[in-house]
Amino acid sequence: MPYITTADGTEIYYTEQGTGQPVLLSHGWPLSSDAWQLELKLLADAGYRAIAHDRRGHGRSAKTGTGNDMDTYAADLAALVEALDLRDLVLIGHSTGGGEVVRYAAQHGGDRVAKVITAGAVPPLMVQTPDNPEGTPIEVFDGIRAGVLNDRSQFYRDLAETFFGANREGAQVSQGAKDDFWRQGMLVNLSAAYDCVKAFSETDQTADLQAIEVPMLIAHGGDDQIVPIAAAAEKSVKLARNATLKVYPGAPHGIYGEYQKALDADILAFIAE
């Protein structure tokens, strides 16, 4: 399996398909590059070099007890981009991965990045503060940490319900999709899963968004119960200089079903513009 080794000796797994302009996909918590399997194929079939990695601590990457923060995630992404010498690069990030690609583009991307796409992304700031009253109270994230510590297997099973909006009337989410969420979550080592909660909830990325000048598509489900749109996409589009907001009415946080079909079509169209 292909790996790169970062400056601190951490092995980062990646997978790629196709040839052409590179498109790099960054997954959400607590998932892995497996979350992007459909997009990898669609992008490769459309004539792109599609690449996805497992964040440190996640999936097949090294199980880390250190470096589980947004700065290091972005530095790891920079190491991968440089190792593969990717240019004219399109970045796609979901949830925590949205924060990762935004920080990478702002602080490391330079002239390598052509476009940025986020979906259900955590920027600019998830946690509620006096300056961010639309955010989620810290007690919610404390509860996530407690769930990971106390019984992570059951916690991931429970989280899959709101992740995919399976708790909504009329939802059509397969058991297989929920099982795969659990499977990917169980591959994260405990320290990485626990520390990543702080990374995705308390990292202020206002300045990162303001620094991005390339075209940016900000996609978000209108019924996202994990990353509520009011504190995320609706603020991000006002901070980024060249951003477009696309809201998918009734769509959940998880990229699945009709939401996935619509989003993937919009991704392909945005890249081709």
Side-chain angles (χ1 to χ4, degrees), residues 20-272:
Q21 182 182 9
V23 181
L24 181 56
L25 302 109
S26 180
H27 62 82
W29 178 93
L31 305 176
S32 71
S33 58
D34 287 354
W36 292 118
Q37 283 297 308
L38 178 57
E39 287 72 25
L40 286 167
K41 174 174 170 47
L42 291 176
L43 287 162
D45 289 350
Y48 299 101
R49 180 184 179 188
I51 305 155
H53 70 298
D54 292 354
R55 185 171 301 114
R56 65 168 56 211
H58 298 62
R60 287 138 292 203
S61 290
K63 302 302 185 245
T64 50
T66 59
N68 301 302
D69 57 81
M70 202 64 75
D71 282 340
T72 307
Y73 296 157
D76 290 348
L77 200 61
L80 176 60
V81 170
E82 290 163 14
L84 300 180
D85 194 23
L86 304 178
R87 299 182 184 278
D88 194 25
L89 174 63
V90 178
L91 296 165
I92 302 177
H94 174 236
S95 195
T96 300
E100 183 176 87
V101 300
V102 163
R103 177 140 296 184
Y104 167 79
Q107 299 189 8
H108 301 275
D111 60 2
R112 290 182 182 268
V113 178
K115 293 179 180 179
V116 177
I117 301 168
T118 63
V122 298
L125 178 63
M126 276 196 74
V127 72
Q128 187 180 75
T129 67
D131 294 330
N132 187 40
E134 299 85 2
T136 301
I138 190 67
E139 290 79 11
V140 173
F141 303 112
D142 290 340
I144 294 173
R145 281 183 278 260
V148 168
L149 283 178
N150 294 334
D151 186 348
R152 63 193 179 100
S153 180
Q154 187 59 50
F155 177 77
Y156 293 144
R157 289 199 184 281
D158 294 341
L159 183 61
E161 298 296 317
T162 49
F163 185 89
F164 289 113
N167 58 334
R168 298 307 200 203
E169 184 177 354
Q172 296 181 343
V173 183
S174 73
Q175 188 62 47
K178 293 186 284 187
D179 288 348
D180 195 43
F181 178 91
W182 172 86
R183 177 191 67 84
Q184 291 182 55
M186 290 302 291
L187 293 175
V188 187
N189 69 298
L190 187 59
S191 291
Y194 186 93
D195 291 347
C196 188
V197 177
K198 181 179 179 67
F200 72 64
S201 64
E202 297 182 47
T203 304
D204 190 337
Q205 299 196 253
T206 300
D208 294 334
L209 288 162
Q210 291 171 330
I212 295 176
E213 298 182 355
V214 299
M216 185 173 180
L217 173 63
I218 299 172
H220 216 103
D223 189 31
D224 190 325
Q225 300 172 70
I226 306 296
V227 182
I229 191 171
E234 290 179 358
K235 289 191 172 185
S236 291
V237 72
K238 298 175 183 178
L239 294 167
R241 304 185 189 189
N242 191 11
T244 300
L245 173 62
K246 179 64 182 288
V247 179
Y248 299 80
H253 186 65
I255 301 173
Y256 175 82
E258 293 303 313
Y259 172 37
Q260 186 169 36
K261 292 176 184 177
L263 175 62
D264 287 346
D266 289 340
I267 285 172
L268 289 171
F270 182 73
I271 295 173

